[in-house]
Amino acid sequence: MTVFWFLVYNIFAVPIQYLIFHIVAPFNAKVRRGIIGRRRLKQTLKEFNASRDRGANCYVVHCASHGEYEMAKPVIEEIKRLEPETVIILTFFSPSGYEQVKENSPADLVTYLPFDSGRSVADFLNLINPDKLILTSYEIWPNLIWIASRFGIDVYLTSARLSGTSKKLLPVIRSFYKTVYGSIPYIYPITIEDAKILRDLTDNHNINTFGNTRYDRVLERANNASDQTGLPDSFQHSPTLICGSIWPPDNRVVLPAFTSLLGEFENLKLVLAPHETSEDHIEELCNWCDKNNFLYTVYSNMNGTEARVLIVDEIGMLAELYHDGDVAFVGGGFNGSVHNVMEPAVARCAVLFGPDHQNSDEATQLIRENGGKAVASTDQFRKIVRRMLSDESELQKMQDAAYKVIESNAGATQKTVSHILQHQS
């Protein structure tokens, strides 16, 4: 069956993917950057090979984008701690992930993963000749996995997730992914539920539930966070609600609630941090402030005025800003899938999010442990926030519960890396 799906994937799927990327590229800057970045991949690897220690172990760690990197980074750091001489090549599919990490990573080289054609992947692996391929969470590229296995490279899937409602489990599609996941000998799911689904899919009973390495990463970042606030002076000693990674569909639910809440609670401060800081989105938030006569400032031009609303038009500082908040609303839950709820939880914020949170086991845990709540409407959001701001003891309980969820799930990195390093090629 693997041969059948290998042929189907390479005869039909790969050419279609390649064609779509190149059709979209002229109209999508992100896709275009990815194509341009991959043009130098072979030269980059040749230059790196000329200077690396060819006698040392070499591991490829792959992430889709920056979110998966937050899971992979503690794994890379722990490998480097235990095997300082090991060469680690960190690859990304997404240009945004690559661009954010390329200058600041514990890996020896940060680069793009090649397009998933058989020839490109084979050339990539032949140039690097890695001992291990470590994949992160959802990031599954069939040719990469099949060809690595054929080359005798150990393949690992860390912080693995597979929902029972995933389209990968639909008829026919399930048969395809059975051959893909079944070609990964070492799978480390996040939860027992993930493990059961993966065992049923792959018939692989050598699956170890080690948890989510991202918990270790957010704890590390929290412990190293600066004490210096990133908020304007007017935000100090006031209740602050931070809306992180929000999209326009989130705005349509939460902004009407804030229109009344900012009027009801005179000391309440608000931080609005869009997931994508496009001019249109920033302008939408500024217009909302102007319409409601809310004094605001923009992060890139922040001043000491008595602003009540801060609009964040830069990326990279949201995790730190959460530490200055009391309540956090995490976006994406009205846009298909909620974003990172761990960062506000580790910062001891009570965490709110929209109804589309099935992609996040952490959100489910926050609800179960009363560290977070899902909201489905403007009215429900308004009532929950009002109750939190009016009852300091309830807010404190939620904040403590949110942090406890993070703290109680720490330790996945050591278990994962220990198991990876047990298997020597």
Side-chain angles (χ1 to χ4, degrees), residues 388-406:
M388 287 180 179
L389 297 176
S390 302
D391 188 339
E392 189 173 334
S393 63
E394 180 183 349
L395 176 58
Q396 184 67 56
K397 287 177 183 177
M398 285 192 67
Q399 292 169 335
D400 292 342
Y403 182 81
K404 188 176 179 181
V405 167
I406 306 299

Side-chain angles (χ1 to χ4, degrees), residues 218-369:
V218 296
L219 275 170
E220 176 196 11
R221 288 189 69 175
N223 292 334
N224 294 330
S226 171
D227 291 333
Q228 186 175 3
T229 181
L231 299 181
D233 293 341
S234 61
F235 281 57
Q236 306 311 308
H237 311 297
S238 296
T240 301
L241 200 152
I242 299 182
C243 292
S245 296
I246 52 175
W247 295 86
D250 299 308
N251 297 345
R252 290 192 283 272
V253 175
V254 301
L255 292 185
F258 288 131
T259 301
S260 57
L261 288 167
L262 286 168
E264 185 176 346
F265 295 91
E266 295 182 357
N267 293 328
L268 178 63
K269 308 295 184 183
L270 177 62
V271 177
L272 300 173
H275 185 72
E276 292 186 352
T277 55
S278 66
E279 289 185 14
D280 288 345
H281 200 170
I282 297 299
E283 184 179 2
E284 176 188 346
L285 299 176
C286 292
N287 288 341
W288 173 76
C289 290
D290 288 332
K291 178 182 177 181
N292 291 282
N293 296 315
F294 296 139
L295 190 60
Y296 70 94
T297 187
V298 177
Y299 192 91
S300 61
N301 192 31
M302 193 163 58
N303 53 53
T305 65
E306 292 300 311
R308 296 195 66 191
V309 181
L310 170 64
I311 298 172
V312 181
D313 60 344
E314 299 178 7
I315 61 174
M317 73 285 297
L318 183 57
E320 281 68 37
L321 290 178
Y322 280 130
H323 286 270
D324 296 318
D326 300 288
V327 180
F329 173 81
V330 179
F334 290 97
N335 197 46
S337 59
V338 70
H339 291 295
N340 184 2
V341 298
M342 290 185 183
E343 290 177 345
V346 79
R348 296 183 185 274
C349 289
V351 188
L352 304 176
F353 38 82
D356 297 333
H357 58 80
Q358 294 79 9
N359 64 301
S360 173
D361 177 66
E362 304 84 55
T364 301
Q365 288 195 59
L366 285 169
I367 293 172
R368 186 168 59 239
E369 301 300 329

Side-chain angles (χ1 to χ4, degrees), residues 369-385:
E369 301 300 329
N370 198 36
K373 295 181 184 293
V375 296
S377 67
T378 297
D379 188 55
Q380 185 185 20
F381 180 78
R382 183 190 298 111
K383 288 178 179 177
I384 290 174
V385 173

Side-chain angles (χ1 to χ4, degrees), residues 158-160 188-191 208-213 215 409 412 415-416:
T158 63
S159 297
Y188 307 137
I190 289 177
T191 69
N208 296 275
T209 306
F210 290 152
N212 190 342
T213 57
Y215 284 107
N409 280 282
K415 296 175 188 175
T416 298

Side-chain angles (χ1 to χ4, degrees), residues 106-163:
D108 297 279
L109 174 68
V110 182
T111 188
Y112 282 102
L113 188 75
F115 184 73
D116 197 47
S117 71
R119 181 175 179 179
S120 296
V121 169
D123 288 347
F124 173 76
L125 294 176
N126 276 322
L127 271 170
I128 297 174
N129 192 27
D131 301 283
K132 300 179 186 292
L133 170 63
I134 302 170
L135 308 174
T136 309
S137 197
Y138 294 108
E139 188 66 350
I140 301 296
W141 288 104
N143 273 330
L144 179 65
I145 292 167
W146 288 329
I147 295 173
S149 297
R150 194 176 74 203
F151 284 6
I153 300 166
D154 290 335
V155 183
Y156 304 81
L157 180 60
T158 63
S159 297
R161 286 173 163 167
L162 190 60
S163 166

